[in-house]
Amino acid sequence: MNNVGYCSPFVPPEWIAAFGWSPRWLRPRAAGARDLATTHRGLCPFAGALVEQVIASEDLHAVVLTTACDPMRYGAAVLQARTDWPTFLFNLPSTWQSNAAGRLYCDELRRLGRFLVDLGGRSPSPDETRATFARYDAARGSVRDAWPVQSSRQYAEMVAAVRGEGRAHPRPSTVENATDGVPLALLGGPLVEEDLAILDALPQLGGRIVLDASEGGQRTLAAALPAEWPGDDPVEALRRAYFDAIPDVFRRPNDRLFEWLRPRLAARGARGILLRRHVFCDLWHAEIERIRQATGLPLIDLDMLHADAGAPAQAIGRIEAFLEMLRGGRWLVARG
């Protein structure tokens, strides 16, 4: 039981692996998480599902959460209060334009390393660190280039695997209906297991994902690590690949999110956006109109609460209606 769970793309799995642990990307099931989310008012449905997953887990040794949003911060407090799980709360700066913010990120990585050693891990040698970093960097490069031959479900699984074991799974040679259907972009926060069924249903509804810009997709893959580490310091290399490179909605300012999004939507020919937003997620809710204005594309706000048994069917019905509007050229109706 040497797995360390995490769910933020700003936590480098190669850093966890370098200290002798097995990083595990957490994608919880939302069903059955209602009790925790309702009894702890600071938890959103995703944070509640994640905390429930950790509490019920039999193969996790520790968990790393970040301060990117208040519900996740509160989730760490719930774990520390209700359980004896070793929980590391990573202080992730929202601002990114100052050297002080970058230094704080590096200091948090060093603090995480000490936490992993205290758990029973080892301090890696420079050669071990370089080898681990190179393996993850190569795997990310393979996944980054894999999209044209991947279904959205397959791609989500490949990204999760790279963020876990750091190895890219073999790519299928063909994908059925890879060019059929209305091209869509998936945008928003983290996915739960139930969301994968909705991705599977898209081809039957007449749609396909051409850009996965969710928290578990292409948008949050780290940049390539520099060939030479600044000052021969591995945390500085991670800072450049993660903190300096990944665009996200919680960052202040978050203009980089739109700078990343616009050219990729155009290049992939996306005709609409599926925004996957967990209920009570104020960060993404506040950006809906700005996303519409910045991209000029129709958007459907999938604010699903998967703890409700009928949520997947309702979401699929809404997506089907959205696709009908796009095919009929009546997309302005979907803005309401």
Side-chain angles (χ1 to χ4, degrees):
M1 192 175 65
N2 63 343
N3 295 317
V4 174
Y6 74 106
C7 62
S8 170
F10 288 89
V11 175
E14 57 263 66
W15 190 238
I16 296 173
F19 285 84
W21 297 96
S22 296
R24 179 180 167 193
W25 179 255
L26 301 178
R27 188 174 59 209
R29 292 190 62 83
R34 182 191 307 229
D35 290 343
L36 192 67
T38 55
T39 56
H40 293 80
R41 290 182 297 172
L43 293 178
C44 71
F46 178 82
L50 185 75
V51 170
E52 289 282 16
Q53 179 189 21
V54 171
I55 292 174
S57 175
E58 297 180 354
D59 61 355
L60 285 180
H61 190 91
V63 65
V64 180
L65 303 179
T66 75
T67 60
C69 67
D70 289 338
M72 202 58 66
R73 186 197 308 262
Y74 191 58
V78 170
L79 282 172
Q80 291 166 345
R82 287 190 46 175
T83 75
D84 57 358
W85 277 100
T87 302
F88 184 91
L89 183 60
F90 192 109
N91 291 301
L92 186 59
S94 297
T95 58
W96 52 270
Q97 293 176 308
S98 69
N99 287 330
R103 287 195 301 270
L104 175 57
Y105 180 78
C106 291
D107 288 343
E108 286 297 284
L109 285 177
R110 296 186 183 98
R111 189 170 68 90
L112 174 58
R114 294 191 295 271
F115 171 80
L116 296 171
V117 170
D118 290 342
L119 280 180
R122 64 175 186 272
S123 295
S125 69
D127 288 344
E128 288 174 326
T129 303
R130 287 185 182 278
T132 303
F133 280 24
R135 175 164 60 87
Y136 276 86
D137 199 39
R140 274 193 299 269
S142 175
V143 172
R144 193 178 292 113
D145 298 335
W147 180 264
V149 295
Q150 293 299 306
S151 72
S152 51
R153 169 66 173 263
Q154 290 167 331
Y155 194 82
E157 299 291 6
M158 287 185 70
V159 172
V162 166
R163 286 176 166 157
E165 61 194 35
R167 300 188 187 280
H169 286 187
R171 294 184 289 170
S173 57
T174 60
V175 175
E176 292 184 5
N177 301 323
T179 60
D180 295 340
V182 178
L184 302 169
L186 177 65
L187 179 62
L191 302 183
V192 294
E193 285 291 332
E194 289 87 345
D195 291 326
L196 300 182
I198 295 174
L199 297 183
D200 287 340
L202 268 178
Q204 286 72 43
L205 300 177
R208 60 189 173 98
I209 300 297
V210 295
L211 178 67
D212 184 350
S214 69
E215 191 161 312
Q218 295 161 283
R219 173 176 59 83
T220 59
L221 282 173
L225 290 168
E228 297 295 331
W229 297 349
D232 203 33
D233 187 350
V235 299
E236 286 291 343
L238 294 175
R239 167 188 170 174
R240 293 191 179 189
Y242 286 84
F243 184 74
D244 292 349
I246 298 176
D248 207 292
V249 70
F250 82 93
R251 314 205 74 177
R252 293 294 179 265
N254 62 15
D255 296 343
R256 281 185 172 180
L257 173 63
F258 299 92
E259 294 169 2
W260 184 95
L261 193 59
R262 280 190 291 260
R264 287 166 178 80
L265 290 171
R268 301 288 174 86
R271 292 178 53 194
I273 297 173
L274 304 182
L275 178 65
R276 175 61 177 102
R277 178 178 65 85
H278 295 279
V279 176
F280 313 127
C281 180
D282 294 336
L283 289 171
W284 282 105
H285 193 202
E287 298 294 333
I288 290 176
E289 190 57 36
R290 187 181 176 198
I291 294 168
R292 285 175 171 147
Q293 294 176 358
T295 65
L297 291 177
L299 177 151
I300 181 171
D301 177 20
L302 296 174
D303 53 343
M304 292 176 285
L305 185 63
H306 274 308
D308 293 333
Q314 293 172 5
I316 289 173
R318 292 181 61 203
I319 293 171
E320 187 173 19
F322 181 65
L323 290 170
E324 284 296 325
M325 292 177 189
L326 292 180
R327 282 191 290 266
R330 303 187 305 276
W331 67 268
L332 287 173
V333 179
R335 294 169 60 93

